[in-house]
Amino acid sequence: MLQVVNMRNERQDIILQALLLIHMSCQSDSSSSVVVAGYNMSAPAGSKMVLQCMSGRMVWTRDRVRDRQRVVHWDMYRDYPDYAMERVVDMFSAGEQRIYNSYNLGRVRLSPAPFKDGNFSLVIKDVTMNDRGLYSCNLHHLYCHLYETVRVQLNVTKSRRKEQRYWDGQKAVYVVLLGSTVVLPCINRRAVWTDWSEEEEDQQVVHWDRQSPGVPHDRADRLVDLYASGEQRSYGPLFLQRKMNISHQAFAEGDFSLTISDLQPTDQGSYSCHLHHHYCGLHERREFQVTVEAPLIHSTVPAKALPSEDKDTTKAESPKIITVILPDQRHYFLLPLGYVLTTFLLLAFIILIVILITRHRRAKEFDPQTSMRSSRSHSSSDEFEMDVTEVNVCSPEERRFDYKNNLLKEKANMNAQPKVIDLDKEMQKFSK
């Protein structure tokens, strides 16, 4: 009976390992040999066009120390009681295993040389109830920018009849007996995880192909090959090699863009940039559909001389140039605004002066002292005019009468004194 159970467990292990290998191979090959981008580009004839093809994964940084480039680590997620993720063990390609929990010392380990045989499985001895949880095997290749993960669910039971191993569609599920030893599988024997090439620069290559309209893909013309070692090969006629080129710092910067100078209608077609990193398993392609448009026509009108009356047709005239100064576009709107504000301020100033003059005149009209002075001046002038008119109205007879009265008064005064006055003589004098 025990042999039947062991045989059944072995068959289940083989099936689960096969499923895990298929799952990891699908992850690793999901990005290989695919078209990652496509572009439609157009430019006028005679211009320069740049077909951009960049990838950070193709930057060549040779790892001469071979340390900390490949890493494997096992993590466990506990759904009870604290729902936390904890690191179980990890290992670098040029280092040793590192156990994070002292409780696991001596009972949890990896295989002795995982980066040589590709076996990264986790071995757990004396399984306890605390070992239940979701385990994940994480493989990281820092140089190739590769990240792969395998998940295994571990459950513990006290009944031997409940032991089983199955695939739930996303991960492997292991139900093991309490106190037994279990091996959680994680196997990846790809060369990128187990081998290191001494000629790494020969495994990185970039090449550009061109298909003329109507030419199938398998008959595309090769334009240029570029290797990480620095070797560059150009194909086709010499003039084509000169007008199409790639930067010499392509692998140092990860920029493999193709520059086409003096674009012509014959340059139309489909261009493709192929990136191959055989060590890292990178195979990408970017396609460009190039269309050449009609060239831009720049019309140049010769300057004409201004007409003149005394024009000498025998002498060659030098062209006259009219200089037009255009205002700065950023401050052009400030000029009309300044004119409007200046006109508004001037109008306000004029209105203010008119208001002040009007108020000053009204104040003079309603001042009492000023009105009295003006009335007095008018009355005195009237009296003066009346006196003058009265003086002017006196006749010569009245003057004579007044003169007689004056003489009588003088005679009366003379009577007081002894003096003889001849009245007839005096009248004759007056009449004269």
Side-chain angles (χ1 to χ4, degrees):
M1 183 67 181
L2 184 60
Q3 293 179 355
V4 174
V5 173
N6 292 334
M7 290 178 63
R8 185 181 62 181
N9 292 336
E10 289 179 359
R11 287 199 301 268
Q12 290 178 351
D13 289 341
I14 294 173
I15 294 173
L16 286 176
Q17 290 180 7
L19 292 174
L20 289 173
L21 288 174
I22 294 172
H23 180 67
M24 296 187 70
S25 63
C26 292
Q27 283 186 343
S28 61
D29 296 337
S30 60
S31 62
S32 62
S33 301
V34 294
V35 178
V36 297
Y39 307 93
N40 292 324
M41 304 185 65
S42 60
S47 62
K48 182 173 69 173
M49 177 179 288
V50 179
L51 307 181
Q52 293 187 353
C53 181
M54 295 179 288
S55 176
R57 296 183 61 183
M58 291 292 292
V59 176
W60 182 45
T61 53
R62 184 183 179 93
D63 182 28
R64 301 184 183 278
V65 182
R66 304 184 186 181
D67 189 15
R68 296 181 181 271
Q69 288 292 318
R70 292 167 290 175
V71 182
V72 57
H73 60 87
W74 277 88
D75 299 331
M76 181 183 66
Y77 175 74
R78 298 180 185 273
D79 56 357
Y80 181 85
D82 49 359
Y83 302 96
M85 177 76 73
E86 67 177 42
R87 179 66 54 85
V88 179
V89 61
D90 63 12
M91 182 179 181
F92 295 99
S93 57
E96 297 179 354
Q97 301 181 24
R98 181 168 52 179
I99 306 296
Y100 282 81
N101 194 338
S102 60
Y103 173 75
N104 294 325
L105 291 175
R107 74 183 198 96
V108 176
R109 63 176 178 82
L110 296 173
S111 61
F115 290 101
K116 291 184 179 180
D117 56 11
N119 186 4
F120 304 94
S121 302
L122 180 66
V123 180
I124 304 176
K125 298 180 181 180
D126 299 330
V127 178
T128 64
M129 289 296 179
N130 291 329
D131 295 329
R132 293 177 300 175
L134 178 62
Y135 290 78
S136 61
C137 173
N138 303 279
L139 299 176
H140 298 276
H141 202 303
L142 304 181
Y143 174 75
C144 295
H145 303 279
L146 296 178
Y147 306 95
E148 298 181 7
T149 301
V150 176
R151 294 178 176 85
V152 181
Q153 177 70 42
L154 178 61
N155 297 329
V156 181
T157 181
K158 296 180 180 180
S159 175
R160 185 178 296 273
R161 290 180 300 178
K162 294 183 179 180
E163 281 189 291
Q164 59 178 336
R165 300 168 187 179
Y166 61 91
W167 178 266
D168 66 353
Q170 295 181 350
K171 60 184 180 298
V173 179
Y174 277 58
V175 182
V176 300
L177 186 64
L178 180 65
S180 63
T181 300
V182 64
V183 178
L184 303 183
C186 181
I187 299 174
N188 194 331
R189 292 190 173 91
R190 291 177 56 200
V192 67
W193 300 108
T194 60
D195 190 16
W196 187 269
S197 175
E198 293 291 343
E199 299 178 354
E200 176 190 345
E201 62 273 11
D202 294 334
Q203 298 192 15
Q204 289 180 254
V205 59
V206 176
H207 62 85
W208 279 87
D209 293 341
R210 174 180 175 270
Q211 298 172 238
S212 300
V215 177
H217 177 71
D218 55 350
R219 294 186 179 181
D221 298 328
R222 180 63 54 86
L223 296 177
V224 61
D225 284 334
L226 185 63
Y227 296 87
S229 59
E231 182 183 359
Q232 181 173 347
R233 301 174 185 175
S234 299
Y235 303 91
L238 183 60
F239 74 92
L240 193 63
Q241 300 178 16
R242 291 178 178 177
K243 68 181 300 183
M244 298 184 183
N245 54 77
I246 306 176
S247 173
H248 295 286
Q249 301 295 326
F251 280 99
E253 301 172 355
D255 187 0
F256 308 95
S257 302
L258 179 68
T259 303
I260 305 175
S261 58
D262 191 17
L263 195 65
Q264 298 298 326
T266 55
D267 297 328
Q268 292 188 138
S270 178
Y271 293 77
S272 56
C273 173
H274 300 259
L275 305 178
H276 298 284
H277 199 314
H278 298 283
Y279 171 73
C280 295
L282 173 66
H283 303 281
E284 295 180 353
R285 184 169 77 252
R286 293 166 174 80
E287 295 183 349
F288 303 84
Q289 188 65 39
V290 177
T291 304
V292 180
E293 300 176 349
L296 297 177
I297 301 176
H298 301 280
S299 59
T300 56
V301 179
K304 296 183 180 180
L306 296 177
S308 58
E309 296 180 357
D310 50 351
K311 183 177 179 180
D312 190 1
T313 57
T314 59
K315 296 182 180 179
E317 294 181 357
S318 60
K320 298 182 180 180
I321 300 174
I322 300 176
T323 304
V324 179
I325 301 176
L326 297 177
D328 190 3
Q329 297 295 331
R330 294 176 296 179
H331 306 288
Y332 180 72
F333 70 96
L334 295 178
L335 295 177
L337 181 61
Y339 296 150
V340 173
L341 292 177
T342 304
T343 305
F344 178 79
L345 293 176
L346 182 60
L347 182 61
F349 182 74
I350 294 173
I351 293 173
L352 180 62
I353 292 176
V354 171
I355 291 173
L356 293 177
I357 293 175
T358 305
R359 288 186 176 181
H360 184 68
R361 287 185 177 179
R362 290 181 179 177
K364 283 186 177 181
E365 291 177 358
F366 290 98
D367 191 358
Q369 296 180 358
T370 307
S371 60
M372 290 178 64
R373 291 175 183 175
S374 60
S375 60
R376 289 179 181 175
S377 61
H378 286 298
S379 60
S380 60
S381 61
D382 293 338
E383 292 177 356
F384 177 76
E385 289 176 357
M386 292 176 64
D387 294 338
V388 171
T389 53
E390 288 178 359
V391 172
N392 293 332
V393 170
C394 294
S395 61
E397 293 181 358
E398 290 179 352
R399 292 180 182 177
R400 188 178 298 175
F401 179 76
D402 291 337
Y403 183 72
K404 287 181 178 181
N405 289 333
N406 292 332
L407 289 177
L408 291 176
K409 290 179 181 181
E410 290 179 359
K411 186 175 180 181
N413 293 331
M414 292 285 297
N415 292 331
Q417 297 179 359
K419 184 178 179 180
V420 180
I421 300 173
D422 192 355
L423 184 59
D424 295 332
K425 292 180 180 181
E426 294 294 332
M427 290 296 295
Q428 292 177 359
K429 291 180 180 180
F430 180 73
S431 59
K432 294 179 180 181

